[in-house]
Amino acid sequence: MIIDQLQKEFEKIYHKQAERIFFCPGRVNLIGEHIDYNGGQVMPCAISMGTTVLIAKNNDHVFRFRAVDFPETSDIELKDSYTKTGTEWFNYPLGVIHEFLKAGIKLEGLDFLFSGNLPIGSGLSSSASIEVLTAFALNDIFSGGMNNVELALLGKRVENQFMGLNSGIMDQFAVAMGKEGNAILLNCDTLDYEYLPFEIGDYVLAIINTNKPRKLVESKYNERFAECMTAKEKLQKKLNINHLCEVSIDDFIKNKELINDPVVENRALHVISENERVIKAREALTSGDIKTFGELMYASHQSLQDLYEVSGEELDAIVEFCKTYKECIGARMTGAGFGGCAIALVKKHSFDDFKEKVCRHYEDKIGYQPGVFSSVIAEGVRTIV
Ligand code: GLA
């Protein structure tokens, strides 16, 4: 919905005008998958789709949560702290409020109206988007004094402690710190980062949504997290490391017997080789070698499919098609996997043809249509009004 319509919707619900409006994008990750929680380097970027919130203060000491896209509503009294209740969407902003209260920031009652155009559960970080959006808004309205990196870290605490997902910092960082036209190379251990102009010549970044209803993503994600921690602990018996990504491929090969579990060994091999791919991808991008960048994307997907086992027949069907399409030079799943979205680098002038053919291929194999769109790299969280 456009802003004017949202303002009318706000007035209809609350019988007053919204005082402030903020927007936070979603993200895609170009390369560096499932390594943020292993202290690795990742390369996400913010996209133009995201979440908008309209807000007005109230004198009732109540947080009223409404969303254009969800029927569930909630009115929650201002208290000292909160815990997650159920699985509804408003737990994300509630978790953010909880973190602000924990930080000793004084809040007042607020009326919220959220609206988003990120397909939910599609791996484009709709949850990081609503977390960072709420954090940015509260920080602004109540003068919290936090910078965007601190807001990203706060969002991660909500995800880890309030929502119970052991995710890394990548998503919150990407949507808080995104810069138009640039990918972010983020070191997830030190939080050092660098903007890399995403100059891909006559190619476009395509996003292909599997439209697969995602199930059990959280439990499988936490399982991968635990497997990585096991691999790290076993390697620590000999290697002086804090994170799995500190291990070189050579050291891994020399010491992999310590792991003594073929599945965990595969997980570790993915993590370590993916981290090295990101470093190569940075080189490729900065030297304008888009072809190599694309090949690294394919290699990343293969590793996520075979070693990390977070892909699935839907994502694989898309990437397999991309490999046969001459004007596509790279593709991979993006985000946590198990469904969600793939990304691809496709020649601009072939995009419509690509779209038609990938849809046909996918429908033949999977039985329903994917969503396909081209995306621009956009700014991170921001104030609209
Ligand atoms: C999800 C998590 C991120 C990251 C990716 C996989 O998006 O929120 O922290 O681990 O999966 O790279």
Side-chain angles (χ1 to χ4, degrees), residues 28-89:
V28 295
N29 185 22
L30 297 169
I31 194 157
E33 214 65 84
H34 281 282
I35 61 173
D36 59 346
Y37 50 88
N38 289 301
Q41 303 208 51
V42 296
M43 203 189 284
C45 52
I47 57 177
S48 51
M49 291 180 294
T51 318
T52 304
V53 66
L54 290 79
I55 302 180
K57 283 189 184 173
N58 66 50
N59 296 319
D60 314 328
H61 312 290
V62 171
F63 299 111
R64 297 194 179 91
F65 298 110
R66 305 285 183 277
V68 172
D69 332 86
F70 291 104
E72 302 90 11
T73 64
S74 187
D75 292 1
I76 296 179
E77 249 174 75
L78 178 54
K79 294 194 296 195
D80 295 340
S81 68
Y82 297 95
T83 47
K84 183 179 170 218
T85 49
T87 54
E88 286 89 358
W89 66 272

Side-chain angles (χ1 to χ4, degrees), residues 90-141:
F90 47 76
N91 280 288
Y92 290 101
L94 190 63
V96 172
I97 289 171
H98 174 74
E99 280 294 327
F100 270 74
L101 294 168
K102 236 169 71 186
I105 297 166
K106 217 173 150 326
L107 303 181
E108 297 165 49
L110 293 173
D111 298 330
F112 293 97
L113 177 64
F114 289 90
S115 169
N117 58 359
L118 287 166
I120 303 299
S122 64
L124 301 179
S125 290
S126 51
S127 53
S129 178
I130 190 171
E131 286 157 5
V132 172
L133 175 68
T134 311
F136 185 84
L138 295 184
N139 190 51
D140 189 299
I141 296 171

Side-chain angles (χ1 to χ4, degrees), residues 38 109 196 358:
N38 289 301
L196 302 174
V358 73

Side-chain angles (χ1 to χ4, degrees), residues 18 24 33 47 55 118 167 174 252 263 265 272 336 341 359 374 384:
C24 186
E33 214 65 84
I47 57 177
I55 302 180
L118 287 166
S167 56
F252 176 71
V263 171
E265 203 178 289
I272 293 163
C341 287
C359 285
S374 71
I384 306 283

